[in-house]
Amino acid sequence: MATRSGSAIWAGWAAPQTCRPLTVRRRKLPRPPCYLSTTTFPPCPGNCTSTSHKNGALPAAATEAETEGEVLLESPGHFRIYKCGKMDRLNEPTVSPAGLDEATGVTSRDVVLDADTGVSVRLYLPKLRQPSEKLPVLVYFHGGAFLIGSADDATYHSYVNSLAAAAGVLVVSADYRLAPEHPLPAAYDDCWAALQWAVAPSTQDEWISGHGDTARLFLAGDSAGANIVHEMLVRAAVNSHPRMEGVVLLHPWFSGSEAIEGEPPAVPMFNGMIWSYTCPGAVGGADDPRINPLAPGASSLELLACERMLVCAAEKDVLARRIRAYYDGVAAAACRAPGAAAWFESEGEDHDFFLGKTDCESSKQLLDRVAAFIAEG
């Protein structure tokens, strides 16, 4: 299998907890320096070693001269950001080609949506009980702090295969451009284009037209991908289209300028650093409604364009308090029917644990809950 520069996932804040019988390599979160809270980032300079298959850059192989700059923050094994605005992607994820997955029976293939930007989707079609069977359509957005990750990364490819098989859905997995080469809102715009493509009557894709029921439309994503789900709901509400039957937010990445009750102060500080790097033009900084949907002036949670929502968190994730506050806000929305918003928390687990520990019992329980949520309609 081929490899390329760019991380598979954003591991988050702390190492995943061991979930027997798997052995998990632990990672330590760097303690953010005190000066990070007031730092602003310049544009990525011409010698930026941040790389991505979407950006046409060479693989990250930082020279000694390139790494002499002052390191601002680092997620070991994932990315390193310098005070000058440069970024290194540090690992070499495995790329999985599309095709038949023998373990699940799911078949996948890639479709390029925009040849100029390279934006594409990977479609996943599970085994059909009948040739004419119509399946719910689920649009998936991968995580990675808007800096790393891809739809064809082996970690996400494996997870989406399992999701398509377990839930019996036709999945459209969006591959979007990454920051800092393409600052936000590029990723949001790419995902919005993928969503519009999936539901457009003019879409001539044979899988969607032949086997997809876009009247039963779902969105799902993890971490930054779940953040994208929220932004898609806001945009759909403004445009009065499309209307989602349900959405699944897996460990969504939200933050704010100040810590909320029960949240360590370092958490919004670190998140604010990443947000200002990925979205340097954000109005309100870390209180931009796209990263802080509970901020004053944010779109009302009553207006989100979906009928049902499942919000998932992990007990040991430092984002859990923020995620719960978001869920409480959605559940309290006056226009929502009782039970329209559901909560699922994985005990003893950390951020995005299910991507690295697919055979763990907690991962199986989470996948089962997602599949059940989709089937409830």
Side-chain angles (χ1 to χ4, degrees), residues 1-6 53 59 91-97 150 152-154:
M1 303 175 80
T3 62
R4 62 153 175 260
S5 180
H53 66 296
N91 74 337
E92 296 282 341
T94 301
V95 176
S96 288
S150 66
D152 59 4
D153 178 270

Side-chain angles (χ1 to χ4, degrees), residues 86-332:
K86 181 181 68 174
M87 187 185 85
D88 296 334
R89 294 186 176 94
L90 302 176
N91 74 337
E92 296 282 341
T94 301
V95 176
S96 288
L100 175 64
D101 180 63
E102 297 288 351
T104 61
V106 175
T107 303
S108 59
R109 62 184 179 84
D110 296 325
V111 179
V112 176
L113 304 188
D114 189 326
D116 292 332
T117 63
V119 174
S120 64
V121 296
R122 177 165 288 190
L123 304 179
Y124 293 80
L125 184 65
K127 288 181 179 179
L128 299 173
R129 291 170 293 187
Q130 300 177 3
S132 61
E133 183 178 9
K134 292 277 191 174
L135 304 174
V137 174
L138 184 148
V139 182
Y140 191 88
F141 309 112
H142 70 78
F146 299 106
L147 297 170
I148 53 181
S150 66
D152 59 4
D153 178 270
T155 299
Y156 280 106
H157 182 67
S158 175
Y159 177 73
V160 177
N161 272 318
S162 297
L163 175 61
V169 290
L170 193 163
V171 180
V172 179
S173 182
D175 208 19
Y176 52 86
R177 289 171 293 170
L178 302 174
E181 298 90 344
H182 302 284
L184 291 172
Y188 292 135
D189 293 343
D190 293 347
C191 291
W192 180 247
L195 175 57
Q196 295 297 304
W197 176 86
V199 301
S202 60
T203 296
Q204 297 300 308
D205 182 83
E206 59 183 331
W207 283 7
I208 294 179
S209 61
H211 303 295
D213 180 3
T214 54
R216 295 204 62 203
L217 178 63
F218 291 83
L219 302 184
D222 67 282
S223 196
N227 174 289
I228 293 173
V229 169
H230 173 81
E231 174 64 11
M232 297 302 98
L233 293 179
V234 172
R235 294 191 180 196
V238 171
N239 290 274
S240 300
H241 179 81
R243 185 74 182 180
M244 271 61 74
E245 177 179 327
V247 299
V248 179
L249 287 83
L250 299 162
H251 308 176
W253 184 42
F254 296 132
S255 191
S257 61
E258 301 289 339
I260 63 173
E261 183 179 355
E263 184 179 51
V267 174
M269 181 189 301
F270 190 94
N271 274 322
M273 293 294 91
I274 301 300
W275 177 251
S276 67
Y277 189 65
T278 59
C279 192
V283 177
D287 283 329
D288 183 294
R290 292 168 293 184
I291 190 66
N292 185 4
L294 302 179
S299 299
S300 172
L301 298 180
E302 295 183 0
L303 303 179
L304 298 179
C306 67
E307 298 172 18
R308 300 185 289 122
M309 178 182 291
L310 173 63
V311 181
C312 303
E315 180 187 16
K316 295 187 177 181
D317 187 354
V318 295
L319 301 178
R321 296 279 186 168
R322 186 80 58 169
I323 297 169
R324 180 70 198 199
Y326 175 82
Y327 164 77
D328 289 341
V330 172

Side-chain angles (χ1 to χ4, degrees), residues 14-26:
Q17 301 299 310
T18 302
C19 183
R20 299 182 184 279
L22 299 182
T23 300
V24 180
R25 184 171 62 184
R26 299 178 179 273

Side-chain angles (χ1 to χ4, degrees), residues 4-57:
R4 62 153 175 260
S5 180
S7 178
I9 61 170
W10 179 42
W13 301 93
Q17 301 299 310
T18 302
C19 183
R20 299 182 184 279
L22 299 182
T23 300
V24 180
R25 184 171 62 184
R26 299 178 179 273
R27 298 185 180 95
K28 294 182 179 179
L29 175 73
R31 184 175 300 171
C34 61
Y35 60 79
L36 294 188
S37 60
T38 59
T39 301
T40 56
F41 294 96
C44 187
N47 67 344
C48 179
T49 60
S50 103
T51 62
S52 168
H53 66 296
K54 304 172 187 64
N55 305 309

